[in-house]
């Protein structure tokens, strides 16, 4: 998010001075690292929690359409970046991978058919297929088919237009562009404090984590894109807009395949349904990854828990974030989110054999020796004040001060996939005097700016063709892997 905002500002106001501080020694080594997330270009093609079923059996696709719209904005900016030297070879960070929704059981099959009927006629979801034939299932997903008992009916929503994204590589390329254009990139530097001055500017105190030396600088605008570390910094800034917000940390683990034969038998991102009572973040998925030109395979997530707000954080992070203004929000969530508590306890108690058994829903003949357990990025879910208590949210939230001098990003999924639209939102909210003058340049970067592509089919087809060609995402002629 920070790299995206920096790149946008560099294009809009190249003469502005920009400094970026990263507490780690490498770019994108926390949640954006390719093995710390699923790498899904979240466009609601396969994620079932974005298309819930109504009590009457119909499917609500409004959230799916909104997320897809936002992903189209990211595709356009990345295409502009490739054409104008901000980004390099597209295959370094984005590759075409089918996105697939997978269910089993009669009730779930009926739901998936209703989902297909709702989404397939929509222009943003054109090309989606509904598959309930065991033979076709086996042809397209051989790894998932071997050993499967089809007396339990299965169904798929299949879309060839999905993507796998290496957000670590994407972030590194954007930061490299910023460095080439004179941005001060300071790795191994931790922001300790933010304090507003009488003239409305911000004093930022930074420490070199190696030498322990501190320095201060003055900035007219601050963006806090620190992942799980964003909430504590926004609290230190003391802005009223951050009051009442809390954070609930959840760590994720994945099985990563170590067997090249298995990796070669699967070429898709396959998302299932979360278990009854489980939170959206628990949706199981079997994902093909493309990292540095090589395919990988992961399955998860398996949830864990730690009070750290960052993978490289401290065990005191959660407790230090508790303030009088968010105490009741946190307590309220503790009462209302009993299903989350139950889910986390069950996950923490799960043995390796239990994890393999969960994997067996997707890979019936899974063997533990073919997989290794890795710890992914730390996620801090947003707790927002509601009434006298609080509510847990599983999306992202942009917090901006009323005077536009500081903004920050909280939350997780769908995260970076919708990052460009989120950062354009920051520009609009924090730079109201400049935004109108920026609009022509923004439209050069994002031709659909201000237009709902779902309501303008002609423009959608135009930008889709442009981004598919520029990002080398044309899937015409891409065959499914042969059954082994």
């Amino acid at each position: 998010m920070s790299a995206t905002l920096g790149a946008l500002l560099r294009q809009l106001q190249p003469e502005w001075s920009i400094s970026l501080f990263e507490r780690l020694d490498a770019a994108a080594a926390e949640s954006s690292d390719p093995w710390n997330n699923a790498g899904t270009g979240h466009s609601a093609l396969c994620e079932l929690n974005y298309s819930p079923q109504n009590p009457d059996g119909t499917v609500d696709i409004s959230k799916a359409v909104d997320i897809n719209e936002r992903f189209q904005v990211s595709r356009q900016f990345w295409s502009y970046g490739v054409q104008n030297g901000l980004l390099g070879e597209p295959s370094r960070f984005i590759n075409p991978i089918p996105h697939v929704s997978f269910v089993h059981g009669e009730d779930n099959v009926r739901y998936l058919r209703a989902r297909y009927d709702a989404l397939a006629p929509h222009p943003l979801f054109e090309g989606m297929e509904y598959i309930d034939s065991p033979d076709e299932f086996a042809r397209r997903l051989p790894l998932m088919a071997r050993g499967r008992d089809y007396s339990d009916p299965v169904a798929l929503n299949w879309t060839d237009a999905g993507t796998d994204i290496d957000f670590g590589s994407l972030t590194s390329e954007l930061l490299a562009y910023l460095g080439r254009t004179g941005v001060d990139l300071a790795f191994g530097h931790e922001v300790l404090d933010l304090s507003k001055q009488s003239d409305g500017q911000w004093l930022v105190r930074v420490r070199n984590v190696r030498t322990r030396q501190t320095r201060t600088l003055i900035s007219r605008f601050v963006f806090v894109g620190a992942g799980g570390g964003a909430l504590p910094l926004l609290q230190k800034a003391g802005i009223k807009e951050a009051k009442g917000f809390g954070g609930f940390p959840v760590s994720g683990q994945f099985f990563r395949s170590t067997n090249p034969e298995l990796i070669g038998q699967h070429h898709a991102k396959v998302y299932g349904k979360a278990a009854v009572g489980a939170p959206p973040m628990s949706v199981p998925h079997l994902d093909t990854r493309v990292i540095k030109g090589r395919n990988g395979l992961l399955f998860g997530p398996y949830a864990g828990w730690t009070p750290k707000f960052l993978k490289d954080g401290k065990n005191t992070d959660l407790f230090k974030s508790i303030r009088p203004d968010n105490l009741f929000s946190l307590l309220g969530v503790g009462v209302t989110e009993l299903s989350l508590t139950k889910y986390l306890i069950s996950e923490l108690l799960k043995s390796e054999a239990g994890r393999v058994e969960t994997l067996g829903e997707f890979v019936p003949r899974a063997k533990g020796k073919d997989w290794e357990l890795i710890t992914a990025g730390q996620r801090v879910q947003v707790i927002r004040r509601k009434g006298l208590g609080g509510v847990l949210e599983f999306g992202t939230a942009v917090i901006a001060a009323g005077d536009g001098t500081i903004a920050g990003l909280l939350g997780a999924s769908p995260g970076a996939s919708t990052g460009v639209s989120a950062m354009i939102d920051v520009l609009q909210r924090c730079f109201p005097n400049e935004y109108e003058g920026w609009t022509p340049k923004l439209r050069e970067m994002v031709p659909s700016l201000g237009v709902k592509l779902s309501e303008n089919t002609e423009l959608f087809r135009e930008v889709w063709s442009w981004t598919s060609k520029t990002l080398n995402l044309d899937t015409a002629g891409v065959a499914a892997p042969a059954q082994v």
Side-chain angles (χ1 to χ4, degrees), residues 243-417:
K243 293 187 182 302
F245 277 90
F248 186 81
V250 178
S251 59
Q253 295 179 310
F254 285 97
F255 264 148
R256 179 169 60 187
S257 178
T258 57
N259 187 332
E261 183 181 355
L262 296 187
I263 295 170
Q265 293 174 37
H266 189 81
H267 187 75
K269 288 184 174 292
V270 183
Y271 275 60
K273 288 189 73 174
V276 176
M281 64 185 177
S282 67
V283 172
H285 44 94
L286 182 66
D287 283 12
T288 294
R289 297 301 322 271
V290 183
I291 300 172
K292 295 182 179 179
R294 299 184 63 183
N295 281 13
L297 184 64
L298 63 77
F299 174 81
Y302 299 102
W305 192 83
T306 166
K308 295 180 180 181
F309 274 8
L310 293 165
K311 190 175 180 179
D312 188 41
K314 299 177 180 178
N315 287 321
T316 55
D317 288 345
L318 172 60
F319 308 104
K320 285 185 175 180
S321 74
I322 299 174
R323 306 289 178 90
D325 62 76
N326 68 12
L327 178 60
F328 287 102
S329 300
L330 293 165
L331 291 175
V333 165
V335 173
T336 59
E337 296 291 340
L338 294 178
S339 62
L340 175 60
T341 303
K342 182 180 178 181
Y343 164 73
L344 287 175
I345 292 174
S346 67
E347 287 288 288
L348 290 170
L349 294 176
K350 190 171 287 184
S351 64
E352 181 178 353
R355 295 189 184 100
V356 174
E357 183 180 350
T358 301
L359 170 61
E361 180 183 1
F362 282 67
V363 185
R365 292 184 178 174
K367 298 178 181 178
K369 66 181 180 65
D370 293 325
W371 304 81
E372 63 177 345
L373 191 67
I374 63 172
T375 299
Q378 187 79 348
R379 305 291 187 262
V380 179
Q381 309 297 337
V382 176
I383 296 175
R384 189 190 295 266
R385 179 185 290 167
K386 184 177 182 181
L388 296 178
V391 59
L392 189 67
E393 299 182 349
F394 294 97
T396 52
V398 173
I399 298 177
D403 63 2
T405 59
I406 187 171
L409 185 83
L410 302 177
S413 185
S417 299

Side-chain angles (χ1 to χ4, degrees), residues 65-400:
V65 171
D66 177 66
I67 289 174
N68 195 296
E69 289 265 17
R70 292 176 181 274
F71 184 65
Q72 302 306 325
V73 172
S74 294
R75 280 179 56 126
Q76 291 170 67
F77 176 67
W78 298 335
S79 293
Y80 171 87
V82 169
Q83 288 185 330
N84 291 273
L86 284 70
L87 298 169
E89 169 59 39
S91 63
R92 295 177 187 168
F93 65 89
I94 189 168
N95 287 276
I97 296 287
H99 279 199
V100 184
S101 304
F102 158 65
V103 298
H104 59 91
E106 291 183 2
D107 289 344
N108 289 330
V109 167
R110 279 194 293 271
Y111 156 71
L112 202 67
R113 179 70 209 199
R115 178 182 184 268
Y116 168 80
D117 290 339
L119 285 175
H122 196 284
L124 299 185
F125 296 86
E126 189 176 39
M128 179 178 285
E129 299 176 75
Y130 176 79
I131 298 167
D132 60 5
S133 161
D135 289 342
E136 189 63 15
F137 184 103
R139 187 182 76 83
R140 301 201 188 199
L141 299 172
L143 181 61
M144 293 179 61
R146 187 175 293 107
R148 184 169 296 278
D149 179 5
Y150 290 103
S151 64
D152 181 29
V154 297
L156 306 173
N157 284 169
W158 184 289
T159 307
D160 279 324
T163 51
D164 172 81
I165 300 176
D166 182 341
F167 286 109
S169 179
L170 176 63
T171 303
S172 296
E173 294 212 11
L174 288 172
L175 292 179
Y177 157 72
L178 293 176
R180 292 194 303 272
T181 58
V183 170
D184 174 25
L185 303 178
F187 292 94
H189 283 71
E190 181 177 17
V191 176
L192 299 176
D193 199 13
L194 298 166
S195 56
K196 196 169 187 180
Q197 306 302 289
S198 58
D199 61 359
Q201 298 188 95
W202 289 91
L203 186 147
V204 184
R205 188 160 66 93
V206 184
R207 178 174 61 198
N208 185 313
V209 298
R210 292 179 295 276
T211 67
R212 313 303 287 178
Q213 291 182 324
T214 62
R215 63 173 165 135
T216 59
L217 65 154
I218 299 293
S219 180
R220 295 179 180 177
F221 172 73
V222 173
F223 178 71
V224 184
L231 178 60
L233 285 174
L234 289 169
Q235 289 176 328
K236 288 180 179 180
I239 60 173
K240 64 179 183 180
E241 290 79 7
K243 293 187 182 302
F245 277 90
F248 186 81
V250 178
S251 59
Q253 295 179 310
F254 285 97
F255 264 148
R256 179 169 60 187
S257 178
T258 57
N259 187 332
E261 183 181 355
L262 296 187
I263 295 170
Q265 293 174 37
H266 189 81
H267 187 75
K269 288 184 174 292
V270 183
Y271 275 60
K273 288 189 73 174
V276 176
M281 64 185 177
S282 67
V283 172
H285 44 94
L286 182 66
D287 283 12
T288 294
R289 297 301 322 271
V290 183
I291 300 172
K292 295 182 179 179
R294 299 184 63 183
N295 281 13
L297 184 64
L298 63 77
F299 174 81
Y302 299 102
W305 192 83
T306 166
K308 295 180 180 181
F309 274 8
L310 293 165
K311 190 175 180 179
D312 188 41
K314 299 177 180 178
N315 287 321
T316 55
D317 288 345
L318 172 60
F319 308 104
K320 285 185 175 180
S321 74
I322 299 174
R323 306 289 178 90
D325 62 76
N326 68 12
L327 178 60
F328 287 102
S329 300
L330 293 165
L331 291 175
V333 165
V335 173
T336 59
E337 296 291 340
L338 294 178
S339 62
L340 175 60
T341 303
K342 182 180 178 181
Y343 164 73
L344 287 175
I345 292 174
S346 67
E347 287 288 288
L348 290 170
L349 294 176
K350 190 171 287 184
S351 64
E352 181 178 353
R355 295 189 184 100
V356 174
E357 183 180 350
T358 301
L359 170 61
E361 180 183 1
F362 282 67
V363 185
R365 292 184 178 174
K367 298 178 181 178
K369 66 181 180 65
D370 293 325
W371 304 81
E372 63 177 345
L373 191 67
I374 63 172
T375 299
Q378 187 79 348
R379 305 291 187 262
V380 179
Q381 309 297 337
V382 176
I383 296 175
R384 189 190 295 266
R385 179 185 290 167
K386 184 177 182 181
L388 296 178
V391 59
L392 189 67
E393 299 182 349
F394 294 97
T396 52
V398 173
I399 298 177

